[in-house]
Amino acid sequence: MNHKLELRGVTKVYKSEGGEIKALEGINLEVKPGEFLCIIGPSGCGKTTLLRLIAGLEHPTSGEIILDGREVRGPSSDRGMVFQEFSLFPWRTVLRNVEFGLQMRGIKKKERIAIAEKYIGLVNLEGFEHHYPYELSGGMKQRVAIARALATEPSILLMDEPFGSVDAQTRNILQEELLRIWERTGKTIIFVTHSVDEAVYLADRVAVMSARPGRIVECMGINIERPRKRTSVEANVIREQLLRRLITEHKKVGLI
Ligand code: ADP
Ligand code: MG
């Protein structure tokens, strides 16, 4: 199946009482089916906005977003989103959280449970089906969020700094699990991160965004064989290049 995603000249301007904020300007991007794309850039450069546009939760002020030859006009189950903050429903168990999208689509209970169980297994949470979010660690909550996003079987998984608030060791484990899921399911993943290390470990390609208004200033292919070693010489060289590019952008917004 072809799930090509294309952004053509996408600009987003937010209008508020204080005036207009140009969050994104002239974003051109093509994402291949099955590609793992990381997006990196300084805080406030429009990364979340970009994901929300692709998800169909916001609309471009100009330009267009084309998925499988059709313009994206709103949210749809072909795109699943995992947010930075734990966005689980606290009053629902793990199973009921993962079932949520399926329930919205009117899928019968028995089938819903079977699908939810499958994805709970995929993120290694068997045995926790009847736990509530408050009983889980941060890493486990993000696994539930991933299972919930996968349950409706989207072709594109949109992830907004999903591992930003878990400890370093858990983060490494979650990265490995995500790669395993990606390899197994063949999904297209668009993954926003603050971390150059994370981008170089995960991505086929890294898009570097400029300070506001967000533009894509560089797209770098990460041609390192998988499974990757975090400490290889090649990884170090690419990390260095990306870091240099990113520091330039951070300087522009006075973050350094
Ligand atoms: P990032 O995720 O890269 O930190 P965001 O996409 O959240 O950046 O925000 C980009 C810019 O757009 C910021 O200046 C932010 O304040 C502004 N912005 C984001 N959402 C809204 C909104 N709903 N209304 C007005 N301004 C917004
Ligand atoms: Mg953000």
Side-chain angles (χ1 to χ4, degrees), residues 47-48 84 160-161 192:
K47 302 181 295 298
T48 296
Q84 175 173 12
D160 194 3
E161 303 191 43
V192 167

Side-chain angles (χ1 to χ4, degrees), residues 90-141:
W91 58 87
R92 284 181 163 236
T93 61
V94 168
L95 182 69
R96 303 267 298 134
N97 263 284
V98 176
E99 273 185 353
F100 179 75
L102 302 167
Q103 194 178 2
M104 291 293 102
R105 285 164 70 180
I107 292 169
K108 296 254 167 6
K109 190 164 182 178
K110 207 170 152 192
E111 193 187 344
R112 217 157 75 201
I113 292 176
I115 298 170
E117 293 276 8
K118 175 176 142 192
Y119 287 101
I120 289 169
L122 191 66
V123 297
N124 289 330
L125 281 178
E126 303 92 344
F128 291 93
E129 289 84 347
H130 304 297
H131 284 60
Y132 283 89
Y134 74 86
E135 298 174 288
L136 308 176
S137 68
M140 289 163 92
K141 284 186 216 172

Side-chain angles (χ1 to χ4, degrees), residues 142 146 159 161-166 171 174-175 178 191 198:
Q142 277 313 58
I146 293 169
M159 307 183 81
E161 303 191 43
F163 308 149
S165 36
V166 298
R171 186 175 192 155
L174 290 174
Q175 287 168 354
L178 180 63
F191 187 108
E198 186 164 63

Side-chain angles (χ1 to χ4, degrees), residues 207-247:
V208 181
M209 286 179 66
S210 67
R212 208 175 77 206
R215 301 188 186 92
I216 294 177
V217 291
E218 187 156 346
C219 256
M220 195 184 284
I222 313 292
N223 301 313
I224 305 177
E225 219 174 284
R226 300 178 189 270
R228 292 178 179 169
K229 283 209 184 76
R230 292 176 194 272
T231 52
S232 70
V233 176
E234 308 156 272
N236 278 334
V237 171
I238 294 172
R239 261 202 296 273
E240 189 87 9
Q241 287 172 338
L242 277 173
L243 213 50
R244 217 173 299 140
R245 199 68 188 81
L246 212 53
I247 287 170

Side-chain angles (χ1 to χ4, degrees), residues 12-16 21-24 41-52 58 84 160-161 192 194 209 212:
K12 177 69 181 177
V13 179
Y14 287 113
K15 291 188 179 68
S16 65
I21 294 173
K22 193 182 266 184
L24 295 171
S43 188
C45 75
K47 302 181 295 298
T48 296
T49 300
L50 187 61
L51 285 192
R52 290 178 58 82
E58 305 270 0
Q84 175 173 12
D160 194 3
E161 303 191 43
V192 167
H194 256 106
M209 286 179 66
R212 208 175 77 206

